[in-house]
Amino acid sequence: MFQKIVMLALAFAINACSMLDRRAAVSPQPGPAEKNVPIDAREESPRKRIMVLPFIDVSGVRSGDGGPNQQLALSARSALVSWLSNTERFVIVNNDDFPKDISQFLNNFQYDVEAMAKIANGMGIAAIVETKILEIRAKKVGNEIGVFRKVGAQVNGRIQIRIVSAKNGKELLSTVKEAQIQSTSTRIGEQAPSNRDLLDDPKLVGEVVVKALKSTIRPMAQSIDKLSWEGRVALVKGDQYYINAGR
């Protein structure tokens, strides 16, 4: 009798273990936790296409040969384009892709951006950026007497940024920014430079303009971000559609 009880208990234990093994086999394995993430957070929004027009320089700063300092405007625009590209929010459209000569829209040191917007909208461009270098001032500071003299320079720059929507010609941003830089050098028996000489220093002038531009990146991005993204069908090839989009 005792032997039968032991055998029944053993059979029951084996059966219970078998059932547990089968349950473990069919139990779903834990996977990665799912999160309720907004759609716009799951995938990066398409970048907007923008035009950055050639800079307008009304500061009066001259180059070494006495003519307009064209390199200043070119270098400053290059810095702005680089910063905007690095935000990964925009595609900078090449100005050469514009179907008309941009210079014909320039009159009295201002672009007719509203007229350009009508053309740019057809190119899938979201906004046009106009930049002016308004003023650059320089003065000497701390000119000490002696053979070894520390000569300081203080340079102030002021720029204006205007952004217009290509869809309706509406002004999205108009702001003026200022910046100041200081530089010190040691001169040995040389005559201290005049304020005019300081303005002829391309390094100082370029640095103050770039510093002023850098402070505009955030408000520029925020103003353009308010625009809704739009894309245009550029080509239909079989069952494939090519969109003139931001990326």
Side-chain angles (χ1 to χ4, degrees):
M1 181 67 179
F2 177 75
Q3 186 176 5
K4 289 183 179 181
I5 293 174
V6 172
M7 292 297 292
L8 288 172
L10 183 60
F12 178 79
I14 293 173
N15 185 52
C17 290
S18 177
M19 290 179 64
L20 289 174
D21 289 340
R22 286 197 299 269
R23 288 179 181 176
V26 299
S27 296
Q29 296 299 316
E34 295 184 3
K35 297 181 179 180
N36 185 18
V37 181
I39 292 177
D40 57 353
R42 296 174 190 169
E43 186 174 351
E44 186 180 301
S45 299
R47 293 183 288 177
K48 296 182 177 69
R49 293 160 59 87
I50 64 174
M51 278 185 70
V52 179
L53 299 177
F55 280 21
I56 302 170
D57 185 2
V58 296
S59 66
V61 174
R62 301 292 176 177
S63 61
D65 59 5
N69 193 341
Q70 297 179 351
Q71 188 58 44
L72 171 63
L74 290 173
S75 300
R77 181 185 178 277
S78 179
L80 179 61
V81 167
S82 178
W83 287 328
L84 290 173
S85 297
N86 289 339
T87 65
E88 298 185 351
R89 299 185 189 185
F90 311 110
V91 171
I92 313 300
V93 177
N94 193 322
N95 287 336
D96 292 337
D97 293 338
F98 198 73
K100 292 189 176 183
D101 184 1
I102 292 178
S103 63
Q104 77 181 55
F105 294 91
L106 181 62
N107 185 32
N108 293 327
F109 301 104
Q110 184 166 315
Y111 289 104
D112 187 353
V113 184
E114 289 75 13
M116 297 183 70
K118 297 176 182 178
I119 302 172
N121 186 45
M123 300 170 61
I125 292 172
I128 300 175
V129 180
E130 178 194 74
T131 308
K132 286 184 184 180
I133 302 174
L134 298 175
E135 183 183 20
I136 298 177
R137 306 184 310 276
K139 67 177 182 180
K140 297 179 296 181
V141 291
N143 184 18
E144 298 180 358
I145 299 175
V147 177
F148 296 90
R149 292 174 296 173
K150 288 186 177 180
V151 179
Q154 180 179 295
V155 183
N156 294 73
R158 188 161 57 97
I159 63 162
Q160 180 185 44
I161 294 280
R162 189 164 69 108
I163 303 178
V164 171
S165 168
K167 185 175 182 179
N168 53 24
K170 181 181 178 181
E171 192 173 87
L172 303 173
L173 177 70
S174 181
T175 183
V176 173
K177 295 289 186 179
E178 297 189 15
Q180 180 185 98
I181 62 169
Q182 292 188 348
S183 175
T184 304
S185 61
T186 301
R187 294 179 178 264
I188 304 175
E190 296 180 17
Q191 183 179 358
S194 66
N195 292 349
R196 180 72 254 180
D197 292 334
L198 294 175
L199 287 177
D200 290 337
D201 187 332
K203 184 174 182 293
L204 291 177
V205 171
E207 283 181 1
V208 74
V209 172
V210 167
K211 184 176 181 181
L213 282 172
K214 197 169 187 179
S215 66
T216 68
I217 301 301
R218 182 181 293 275
M220 287 178 66
Q222 291 174 340
S223 65
I224 300 174
D225 278 346
K226 295 176 183 177
L227 296 173
S228 59
W229 179 87
E230 293 183 1
R232 296 175 181 273
V233 177
L235 176 67
V236 178
K237 189 175 181 180
D239 59 351
Q240 294 182 328
Y241 294 82
Y242 295 85
I243 306 297
N244 185 9
R247 59 180 179 190

